[in-house]
Amino acid sequence: MVMGKTGLRRSMVQIAGAATALAVLAACAHPVIEDTAAHRMDMAQAAHQNSLVLDGHADIVLPSTSLSYQGPDGRSKVAPDKLAAGGVGAVVMSVAVGPGPRTSEGDAAGRAEADEKLAAIRALDAAHESLAIATTPEEVRAIRARGQTAVILGFQNARSLEGDVAALDTFYAAGVRVFGLNHMGHNDFSDSSRPLYDGDTKSYEVEAEHGGLSALGVQAIERINALGGIVDVSQMSKDATLQAIALSTSPVIASHSNVRVLSDVSRNLSDEEIDRIGETGGVIHVAAFGAYLVDLSDLDLLARIRAVRREAGLPETYSYPYELYWELHDPAEKTAFLTAMRDVIGRGSVDRMMDHIDYIVARIGIDHVGIGTDFNHGGGVEGFNEADEAFNVTLALVDHGYSGADIEKIWGGNFLRVFQSVSPAPAD
C-alpha cells in the first residue's frame, strides 16, 4: 500500500502521541506504587488506632520462667513498654498452671503456682501506671480511654482448683474472668487435647479418660456461667469442647487455638468445633505460634519432623512437633532438639496466621475470630515475636482485604461482645 503525505503525517503524529503516552505512564508508575503503599499504611494506622488491640491469651512471667519463652532481651514479650509500643489496649494474662502429679500434694503445688502468678500480675500492675486490671467490659473501655492497657485475668488448668468447684469463686473474687479447664494432660475436670506422656513407661495417657467433661467439669462450666465468667475451650479435647459449648449458657471463646484442617495437630480445632463456636456466638483467637501453624500436609516436612524426634529419643507420635521436649532433662539435649525442630518447621509467619484467620472468617464469619498470642509460653512468629510488633498483624489484615470495621472486630470487638454477654449490667 502506498501512503500519501497526509497518511504519513497522520501516522507520525500517532506514533509521537503513543510515545508521549508511554513516557507519561512510565513517569507516573512509581508515584502510583508509592500512593498505593501510602494508602495501605494510612488504612492500617487508622484501623490500629481505632481498634481495641486485644491479645486473648498471654502467660504471666515468674522468676522461674524459662528465658527460652521470653523475648530476646530476656524480658516478658508483653512487658508494659512493649504493650505500649505495639498499641495493645488490652491483654488477657493467664494464671496458667502446667501438668503435675494428680495427688493432693500435686494439686496443692498447682494452687501455689496459681497464687504466685496472681501475686506477680498484681505487683506488675501496681508498679506500672500504664497498666490497670479490668473486671468488666466497661472498665476495659475506660482504661483504654485513659491511654492505659487493660489487664484481664485468665485462668488455665483446673488442677489448681484442688478438686473443689467452689474454688472458682475464689479466683473470680480475685479478678479472674476467663476460665479454661485444661492444659496439657487430663485432670479431674476434663480431658485434654494433649494426653500426658509417661517417661517411665514410655507411653501416653489414654486418649479420653472422662469422655470429655467429668461430673466436676460439668459443675465447673455451670459455676463459671453463674459467676459471669467466660468459658475458654482452648486445650480441651474435642469431646470436652463440644460438651462445654452445649452446656454453657453463654458464648465460649478459644483463647489461643488454630485450625486443624490447615495444621493437623491435636491442639487445634476441628471444623465441627469451629462451626459450633460460631453457631453459639463464640470467638476463636488465632495463636501466633509456629507449632500450631505448621502445614503437616507436606509429607516431606512430616518425615523430617519425625526424624528429628527419633534422633532426640522421642516417639514419632505427638500432639504437635515440640511435644515432649520437657521430657529431655539434659539442658544441652533439650536445646539441640528445639533448635533442630525450629530449623525444620521454621518460626511461622504472620502470613500463615492470616491463612487461619481467613479460613475461620470464610467458614463462620467475621464476628467469630480474634487473636491470642500465647506469648511467654508459645508464640513468637516471624514479624510478631513480641507485643511491640502488633501493628504488623493489622497491616497484614489490610493486605488481606479486611476493612477497618472488620479489623476492629478481630482485634478486640468480638472478645468484648462475648465479655459483655456474660457480664451483669452495671448498676445505675
Side-chain angles (χ1 to χ4, degrees):
M1 180 179 70
V2 178
M3 183 180 292
K5 290 183 179 179
T6 301
L8 180 61
R9 191 181 305 114
R10 186 182 300 117
S11 296
M12 291 177 66
V13 169
Q14 290 172 341
I15 291 169
T20 301
L22 287 172
V24 170
L25 286 173
C28 291
H30 188 60
V32 166
I33 292 171
E34 287 183 348
D35 288 347
T36 301
H39 179 63
R40 164 181 175 260
M41 185 63 68
D42 288 345
M43 282 185 62
Q45 287 174 340
H48 203 75
Q49 184 173 354
N50 292 334
S51 298
L52 171 71
V53 177
L54 181 144
D55 180 350
H57 180 93
D59 279 88
I60 296 166
V61 168
L62 297 176
S64 59
T65 301
S66 170
L67 288 175
S68 64
Y69 292 141
Q70 300 178 60
D73 60 1
R75 298 188 302 132
S76 168
K77 292 185 177 184
V78 290
D81 59 315
K82 297 176 184 179
L83 291 166
V88 179
V91 57
V92 179
M93 296 298 296
S94 184
V95 181
V97 172
R102 290 176 64 180
T103 62
S104 58
E105 294 80 9
D107 288 351
R111 179 57 181 269
E113 181 182 352
D115 288 343
E116 185 181 6
K117 287 188 173 180
L118 274 171
I121 194 62
R122 291 200 170 279
L124 188 71
D125 168 55
H128 295 273
E129 292 185 359
S130 63
L131 303 180
I133 292 175
T135 58
T136 67
E138 291 76 22
E139 288 178 355
V140 172
R141 295 186 184 98
I143 289 165
R144 190 55 186 155
R146 297 196 299 266
Q148 297 170 289
T149 297
V151 175
I152 303 160
L153 298 183
F155 170 95
Q156 188 176 25
N157 198 349
R159 170 183 167 227
S160 60
L161 298 177
E162 299 182 273
D164 183 8
V165 174
L168 287 166
D169 293 52
T170 304
F171 282 101
Y172 188 88
V176 173
R177 292 295 180 268
V178 180
F179 293 87
L181 298 184
N182 283 106
H183 192 257
M184 185 182 65
H186 309 320
N187 57 41
D188 293 341
F189 290 75
S190 177
D191 290 337
S192 170
S193 62
R194 296 190 289 165
L196 268 180
Y197 181 78
D198 187 328
D200 294 330
T201 64
K202 307 294 183 185
S203 63
Y204 285 92
E205 290 179 312
V206 294
E207 185 174 342
E209 177 180 332
H210 308 294
L213 296 173
S214 69
L216 276 176
V218 169
Q219 293 173 40
I221 298 297
E222 292 172 343
R223 189 58 192 156
I224 294 165
N225 286 162
L227 287 168
I230 299 172
V231 174
D232 179 6
V233 299
S234 282
Q235 305 268 16
M236 280 183 166
S237 70
K238 178 179 177 180
D239 285 342
T241 294
L242 294 175
Q243 291 165 18
I245 294 169
L247 182 63
S248 179
T249 56
S250 301
V252 308
I253 70 165
S255 64
H256 57 305
S257 295
N258 295 346
V259 176
R260 189 156 187 176
V261 166
L262 299 182
S263 182
D264 187 15
V265 298
S266 70
R267 257 292 277 106
N268 289 340
L269 298 171
S270 67
D271 282 350
E272 185 178 1
E273 292 165 281
I274 290 169
D275 290 347
R276 289 296 293 139
I277 290 171
E279 289 163 3
T280 52
V283 182
I284 299 163
H285 295 77
V286 170
F289 186 21
Y292 303 162
L293 296 168
V294 61
D295 181 4
L296 295 176
S297 66
D298 182 336
L299 297 182
D300 176 64
L301 175 62
L302 191 57
R304 286 185 287 136
I305 288 171
R306 287 174 172 167
V308 171
R309 294 179 61 81
R310 284 196 306 270
E311 290 168 8
L314 299 176
E316 292 185 30
T317 304
Y318 58 88
S319 298
Y320 69 94
Y322 292 155
E323 194 77 32
L324 304 183
Y325 67 86
W326 43 84
E327 296 294 335
L328 299 173
H329 300 297
D330 182 89
E333 290 181 3
K334 183 180 294 189
T335 299
F337 169 70
L338 290 173
T339 301
M341 188 62 75
R342 177 61 62 83
D343 289 345
V344 167
I345 72 170
R347 289 179 55 189
S349 66
V350 172
D351 282 344
R352 183 62 177 165
M353 282 181 66
M354 293 302 112
D355 292 341
H356 287 249
I357 290 172
D358 289 346
Y359 185 94
I360 295 168
V361 170
R363 190 166 185 94
I364 60 174
I366 193 68
D367 295 323
H368 306 290
V369 65
I371 294 165
T373 63
D374 203 15
F375 283 160
N376 296 332
H377 194 258
V381 303
E382 191 71 39
F384 191 28
N385 186 48
E386 301 187 271
D388 58 6
E389 294 180 307
F391 179 71
N392 289 340
V393 177
T394 305
L395 201 57
L397 289 168
V398 168
D399 288 343
H400 278 242
Y402 292 100
S403 68
D406 292 337
I407 293 169
E408 288 179 38
K409 288 184 176 184
I410 293 170
W411 257 133
N414 290 335
F415 177 92
L416 274 188
R417 172 180 54 78
V418 172
F419 198 5
Q420 196 74 63
S421 75
V422 305
S423 301
D428 294 332

